[in-house]
């Protein structure tokens, strides 16, 4: 895919990316770095983050890894402080940390439901809250990685659907409340993206081809599709976009009801 962005589009920006080591958010972190931003990669496991940070640095970008569980507000605050100490500020936050597994609703335990809500929804809140002072000072922005699962009813995804519906609400509310500070708050709702852990674990092989055929554009998404959307939303090209959830799914959710 051609790079449609001008070189250095995000020069002098600093991004704090949760879930930043692997999968979709790993790609987003890499793309922000390629566009010129310095990037802090944040998640529970340093062993996932360090190779990703090293790859960005070897490619001429600037990245560092910091361990924090987004469920723990104190750890998040420490990671924010470490990023400011490393790069001087934070003006882009990408909330990509997420947990997921397939389970029928009647087998979902209270702790299973709560764990996903804690990571996806409360984790997003914890990070936005901890980054607020930096975002306000630098007229920064937030990008929340959501989903399309909750637009319809998605079997075995009650917990994630509930959490992501909350993420969408949080996105719109913060856009309204923090717009006055020049902070833009948007999101991306990816459809099925190939070559991700989520796709391998959440889309059973027998339904894969059926799912692909039902995507109006006839293919699964690529991590690059989410990267370009993220760079766009984080750039000045999107300077009047606030409170939007950009669906990047090839039209999949609109035609999903026809699958059954
Ligand atoms: N089916 C049903 N319940 C599950 C489950 C599954 N596949 N996986 C986890 N749970 C439940 C656990 O049983 C537990 O509930 P319980 O105490 O009532 O038994 C609860 O969720 C917490 O699980 P635990 O493994 O202790 O939590 P954790 O904090 O270590 O990890 C996840 C939670 C969601 C991150 C974990 O499932 C995971 O590592 N997933 C893979 C990574 C991932 O989801 N990436 C996102 C890709 S889209």
């Amino acid at each position: 895919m051609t790079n449609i962005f001008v070189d250095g589009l995000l020069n002098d920006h600093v991004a704090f990316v949760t879930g930043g080591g692997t999968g979709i958010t790993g790609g987003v972190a890499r793309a922000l770095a390629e566009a010129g931003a310095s990037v802090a990669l944040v998640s529970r496991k340093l062993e996932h983050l360090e190779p990703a940070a090293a790859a960005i640095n070897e490619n001429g970008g600037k990245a560092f890894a910091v361990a924090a569980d987004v469920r723990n507000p104190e750890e998040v605050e420490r990671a924010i402080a470490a990023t400011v100490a490393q790069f001087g500020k934070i003006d882009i936050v990408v909330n990509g940390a997420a947990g997921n597994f397939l389970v029928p609703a009647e087998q979902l335990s209270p702790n299973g439901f709560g764990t996903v809500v804690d990571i996806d929804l409360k984790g997003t809140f914890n990070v936005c809250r901890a980054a607020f002072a930096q975002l306000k000072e630098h007229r920064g922005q937030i990008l929340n990685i959501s989903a399309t699962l909750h637009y319809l009813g998605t079997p075995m995804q009650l917990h994630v659907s509930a959490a992501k519906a909350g993420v969408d609400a949080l996105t719109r509310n913060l856009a309204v409340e923090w717009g006055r500070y020049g902070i833009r708050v948007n999101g991306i709702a990816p459809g099925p993206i190939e070559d991700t852990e989520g796709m391998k674990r959440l889309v059973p092989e027998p339904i894969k081809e059926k799912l692909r055929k039902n995507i109006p554009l006839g293919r699964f998404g690529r991590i690059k599709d989410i990267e370009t959307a993220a760079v766009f939303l984080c750039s000045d090209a999107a300077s009047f976009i606030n409170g939007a959830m950009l669906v990047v799914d090839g039209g999949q959710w609109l035609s999903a009801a026809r699958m059954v």
Side-chain angles (χ1 to χ4, degrees):
M1 200 182 289
T2 331
N3 181 4
I4 58 163
F5 299 113
V6 293
D7 280 348
L9 189 65
L10 296 178
N11 276 356
D12 304 322
H13 290 273
V14 178
F16 184 92
V17 183
T18 73
T22 56
I24 289 175
T25 40
V28 168
R30 194 175 54 236
L32 296 178
E34 281 171 6
S38 302
V39 179
L41 303 172
V42 187
S43 82
R44 277 191 299 175
K45 294 184 181 142
L46 266 184
E47 66 261 31
H48 287 167
L49 300 175
E50 278 168 344
I56 289 173
N57 288 325
E58 278 158 25
N59 199 30
K62 274 181 263 158
F64 95 119
V66 51
D69 187 332
V70 294
R71 292 174 284 193
N72 183 321
E74 289 78 31
E75 285 185 25
V76 170
E77 280 165 21
R78 279 199 292 275
I80 294 278
T83 304
V84 174
Q86 180 81 11
F87 291 133
K89 66 171 180 179
I90 294 169
D91 58 1
I92 297 172
V93 165
V94 179
N95 284 298
N100 200 353
F101 45 80
L102 291 175
V103 61
E106 65 270 27
Q107 288 168 27
L108 180 60
S109 73
N111 193 34
F113 182 85
T115 297
V116 171
V117 169
D118 281 349
I119 299 170
D120 292 28
L121 177 55
K122 289 167 79 174
T124 295
F125 171 73
N126 290 339
V127 172
C128 293
R129 179 182 168 277
F132 171 68
Q134 281 295 312
L135 295 172
K136 184 180 174 193
E137 185 178 342
H138 303 289
R139 299 180 72 80
Q141 61 208 276
I142 296 169
L143 185 67
N144 294 326
I145 307 299
S146 187
T148 60
L149 301 167
H150 50 294
Y151 297 174
L152 299 168
T154 306
M156 309 227 252
Q157 294 280 264
L158 167 69
H159 44 325
V160 185
S161 299
K164 295 299 195 184
V167 168
D168 290 4
L170 182 147
T171 302
R172 289 191 288 266
N173 275 273
L174 288 185
V176 169
E177 286 203 42
W178 291 357
R180 81 189 71 155
Y181 305 120
I183 300 172
R184 295 189 296 112
V185 188
N186 293 301
I188 294 176
I193 305 296
E194 64 190 0
D195 296 329
T196 59
E197 187 204 328
M199 184 81 166
K200 282 186 204 103
R201 285 194 307 108
L202 305 174
V203 182
E205 206 53 47
I207 73 152
K208 218 167 177 173
E209 190 49 20
K210 197 174 166 201
L211 179 63
R212 188 193 61 73
K213 281 191 181 141
N214 203 55
I215 298 172
L217 291 182
R219 67 167 175 88
F220 290 119
R222 302 175 186 121
I223 291 177
K224 194 83 194 163
D225 295 317
I226 308 303
E227 292 177 12
T228 48
V231 171
F232 164 65
L233 285 172
C234 290
S235 75
D236 283 346
S239 64
F240 201 53
I241 299 179
N242 188 29
M245 188 54 68
L246 181 59
V247 177
V248 185
D249 76 338
Q252 188 257 336
W253 88 265
L254 286 169
S255 66
R258 290 192 288 110
M259 273 192 82
V260 281

